[in-house]
Amino acid sequence: MSVSGAELLRRVKEQIKEVDPAEVSQLLGEGVAVVDVRETEEVAQGKLPGAIHVPRSYLETRFEGLVPDRSQRVILYCASGVRSAFGALTLMKEMGYEDVESMAGGITLWKDRGYEVEVPRTLTPEQRQRYSRHLLVPEVGPEGQQKLLDAKVLLLGAGGLGSPTALYLAAAGVGTIGIVDDDVVDVSNLQRQVIHNTTRIGVPKVDSAEQVINELNPDVTVVKYATRLDASNIMEIIDGWDIIVDGVDNFPTRYLLNDATVRLKIPVVSAAILGFEGQLSVFKPYEGPCYRCLFRQPPPAELAPSCGANGVLGVLPGTMGLLQATEVVKLIIGAGDPLIGRLLMYDALGATVTELKVRRDPECPICSREPDAISDDELGVFPDYEAFCAAAG
């Protein structure tokens, strides 16, 4: 004997807990996972403020990635309370979540009561197609893609590391990409700097990179700085960017960058390459060590020659640049475990990866001081790092 839809819903509701919209309105922002299980087209018309969106049809495959703690309180809602009731039962009975409720009456009753509705920004049809593979990844989805489109990432250098990083950040939809580089494209660059090509030899690298980025993704705005970063311009150039990608090739600029980014509290995704070896870390001020915690003093020149003096395997910047791009995306969407407090070292010849833990140095001359202890007058004053590094050599 078949069971009617109404009878099936009644049986489901006997096994779950329902919560009134009045109570939900008091819980927003209080550590409760409020989840909208309607379809994307419905959510575009408005949702509860701060609600996570997981369509009912994807609940089993995507929910765990967004709410990994099975003991966290979860409230599902839909249009009227039907899909959320079935979803709540699924989470409890099949996925092991301990505290799941369905909001009675759904968003329809929520609106009737006059509670606030947030109208989310939506992707255009072309963007939904372009970023469709991102939208399928639970840790990205529409919300993460919008974060990428809103992000501002500054690349220091459009060379070996900056080239692959720029290409993949542009492809991912990072909305504003800044590029700092005062060099022009040379034929010797083309063995590794994949954003440039033979027809643009002699063209400023910022212009060459801009052309390729614009051809790859019209969503991206490129901001160009055809200049060399130094103490006189660094604060003006880096201020206002969300993340900085360090692809510079000399120690004085790295130390200068560290000083400035700690003062402005801007995270840096830093990589270095030489021969067959690369290293990578994320320096997020006051959440982990800074560059100076890792390298209190620069190494002697003979132990750290430049790529121009010692050479570099052409594919190595691609490997490390893609890892940089990955760390940038993780920071933007807030997913995964960024390389904060960790130094990753890659040996291409041995195909090995080694990871070292790095702790904040309580006596670090840069980040041991709290941000409030740095006066406005100090923000733009830096040591002579050219002399500092020369003395170390």
Side-chain angles (χ1 to χ4, degrees), residues 210-283:
E210 178 188 38
Q211 179 180 334
V212 175
I213 290 171
N214 287 341
E215 291 171 350
L216 176 62
N217 191 346
D219 283 341
V220 180
T221 298
V222 178
V223 181
K224 299 180 293 183
Y225 302 91
T227 186
R228 184 175 181 82
L229 204 65
D230 60 31
S232 69
N233 60 22
I234 189 169
M235 295 297 284
E236 179 182 357
I237 289 176
I238 72 172
D239 191 20
W241 294 91
D242 300 322
I243 300 169
I244 293 176
V245 177
D246 171 17
V248 302
D249 59 359
N250 65 87
F251 282 103
T253 306
R254 288 185 189 275
Y255 282 110
L256 176 64
L257 173 66
N258 184 66
D259 267 26
T261 51
V262 167
R263 296 177 192 190
L264 294 176
K265 293 184 282 189
I266 303 173
V268 178
V269 179
S270 181
I273 51 174
L274 190 67
F276 288 88
E277 298 177 352
Q279 64 183 35
L280 174 74
S281 191
V282 174
F283 302 109

Side-chain angles (χ1 to χ4, degrees), residues 342-365:
R342 295 183 289 152
L343 177 67
L344 183 149
M345 297 184 293
Y346 172 65
D347 179 358
L349 278 179
T352 59
V353 176
T354 304
E355 182 182 298
L356 299 178
K357 297 289 186 182
V358 184
R359 293 182 174 87
R360 285 185 66 182
D361 182 352
E363 298 181 357
C364 174

Side-chain angles (χ1 to χ4, degrees), residues 378-393:
E378 292 180 271
L379 287 178
V381 179
F382 303 100
D384 184 348
Y385 281 118
E386 294 283 352
F388 173 71
C389 294

Side-chain angles (χ1 to χ4, degrees), residues 27 47 51 82 88 102 109 120 156 161 192 231 256 305 316 376 388:
L27 294 172
K47 66 183 184 71
V82 176
S102 171
L109 182 56
L156 302 187
L161 292 167
R192 65 199 178 280
L256 176 64
L316 181 65
D376 291 341
F388 173 71

Side-chain angles (χ1 to χ4, degrees), residues 20-158:
D20 190 83
E23 183 177 350
V24 178
S25 70
Q26 301 299 314
L27 294 172
L28 295 179
E30 297 296 324
V32 177
V34 178
V35 183
D36 191 323
V37 299
R38 296 175 298 158
E39 296 302 313
T40 301
E41 295 75 16
E42 297 174 273
V43 175
Q45 304 304 312
K47 66 183 184 71
L48 273 63
I52 302 168
H53 176 222
V54 186
R56 173 63 190 89
S57 54
Y58 291 101
L59 206 61
E60 292 86 347
T61 56
R62 296 186 183 179
F63 194 82
E64 185 178 4
L66 295 170
V67 186
D69 183 359
R70 284 176 165 74
S71 64
Q72 183 178 4
R73 186 177 182 183
V74 176
I75 298 174
L76 306 184
Y77 74 89
C78 58
S80 61
V82 176
R83 283 170 287 177
S84 59
F86 283 93
L89 187 63
T90 296
L91 290 181
M92 290 190 299
K93 299 295 186 181
E94 298 180 19
M95 299 181 66
Y97 283 84
E98 302 169 9
D99 189 4
V100 185
E101 298 161 290
S102 171
M103 188 174 79
I107 197 169
T108 301
L109 182 56
W110 176 273
K111 289 180 177 179
D112 289 344
R113 298 271 185 87
Y115 295 122
E116 180 184 357
V117 173
E118 174 183 276
V119 179
R121 295 165 60 190
T122 58
L123 302 175
T124 66
E126 193 278 335
Q127 287 173 327
R128 295 195 67 82
Q129 183 175 7
R130 177 182 289 271
Y131 308 118
S132 60
R133 300 306 186 271
H134 270 177
L135 303 185
L136 294 172
V137 178
E139 291 82 358
V140 185
E143 293 83 3
Q145 188 60 55
Q146 196 62 64
K147 290 179 182 178
L148 289 167
L149 290 165
D150 291 341
K152 298 175 63 179
V153 177
L154 180 66
L155 307 182
L156 302 187

